[in-house]
């Protein structure tokens, strides 16, 4: 199927968006990278970052308002700090590298891939979020939802059956926010 740049197609692409390849130590691993929408939102935080982690967003200035979303999460959660910068500026931080890539096939709007310490290691040292510029002409609410969705994967969310940013039926708004159940899971872990 060749996607168009419609809201519906972008939402379908969100269903394919997570590619986390991490078997986390602190919780039950979603070995499929969170692809299946088969758990409730309150159980979807399955590979959280260690409490107290500093997350650095490193990449182009315009990343579909991902930094705005990340700052709102940072303000609400004492157990994680989100900043913009680079690994050089923030040694030891969890660096999220943002890339933009154009894939005409449009198979995904966004994709998150974890970086680990080395072969056989499951502890994450960072992540790369790839945003498909094929969708750059999608409505602003769609692009913002994609960016927020991918950042929720960085925080450890897999796809879930409930409402919310990583849920099966994400709301499309200009100011995406975690659902009450997603907030419950985030606060239970990150404070």
């Amino acid at each position: 199927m060749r996607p168009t740049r419609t809201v519906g197609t972008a939402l379908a692409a969100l269903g394919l968006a997570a590619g986390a390849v991490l078997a986390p130590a602190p919780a039950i691993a979603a070995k499929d990278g969170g692809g299946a929408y088969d758990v409730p939102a309150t159980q979807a935080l399955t590979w959280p970052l260690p409490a107290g982690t500093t997350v650095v967003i490193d990449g182009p200035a315009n990343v579909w308002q991902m930094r705005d979303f990340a700052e709102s999460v940072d303000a609400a959660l004492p157990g994680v700090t989100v900043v913009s910068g680079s690994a050089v500026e923030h040694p030891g931080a969890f660096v999220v590298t943002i890339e933009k890539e154009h894939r005409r096939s449009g198979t995904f709007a966004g994709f998150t891939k974890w970086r680990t310490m080395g072969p056989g290691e499951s502890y994450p040292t960072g992540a790369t979020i790839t945003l498909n510029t094929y969708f750059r002409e999608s409505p602003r609410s769609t692009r913002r939802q994609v960016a927020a969705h991918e950042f929720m994967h960085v925080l450890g969310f897999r796809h879930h059956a409930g409402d919310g940013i990583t849920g099966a039926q994400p709301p499309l708004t200009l100011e995406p926010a975690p659902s009450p159940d997603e907030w419950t899971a985030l606060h239970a872990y990150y404070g």
Side-chain angles (χ1 to χ4, degrees):
M1 175 173 117
R2 182 170 181 201
T4 61
R5 295 174 189 148
T6 65
V7 173
T9 301
L11 283 174
L14 281 172
L16 303 172
V21 289
L22 172 65
I28 299 170
K31 294 187 181 197
D32 64 354
Y37 290 86
D38 59 356
V39 298
T42 54
Q43 296 175 14
L45 186 61
T46 56
W47 58 84
L49 298 172
T53 296
T54 295
V55 177
V56 176
I57 298 176
D58 183 11
N62 181 9
V63 289
W64 300 353
Q65 282 70 47
M66 183 181 300
R67 285 181 177 87
D68 292 345
F69 174 76
E71 287 173 9
S72 70
V73 169
D74 174 53
L77 300 174
V80 65
T81 302
V82 181
V83 297
S84 288
S86 68
V88 172
E89 296 168 318
H90 303 279
F94 186 91
V95 178
V96 179
T97 305
I98 311 297
E99 301 176 338
K100 291 184 175 181
E101 182 178 303
H102 189 80
R103 291 200 178 181
R104 277 202 171 272
S105 65
T107 56
F108 66 88
F111 184 83
T112 298
K113 183 175 181 181
W114 293 85
R115 293 188 300 272
T116 58
M117 293 179 77
E121 298 289 332
S122 62
Y123 182 78
T125 59
T128 299
I129 294 176
T130 304
L131 300 173
N132 187 349
T133 60
Y134 180 84
F135 292 96
R136 72 182 172 272
E137 295 175 15
S138 295
R140 181 186 284 174
S141 58
T142 301
R143 293 189 314 267
R144 287 183 174 188
Q145 176 65 33
V146 169
H149 178 99
E150 296 310 322
F151 193 77
M152 289 287 279
H153 287 314
V154 167
L155 293 176
F157 265 86
R158 66 175 290 184
H159 294 148
H160 58 79
D163 294 331
I165 291 175
T166 56
Q169 297 295 322
L172 288 177
T173 67
L174 286 176
E175 299 299 328
S179 69
D181 286 343
E182 287 172 332
W183 274 124
T184 296
L186 286 167
H187 284 298
Y189 185 80
Y190 292 111

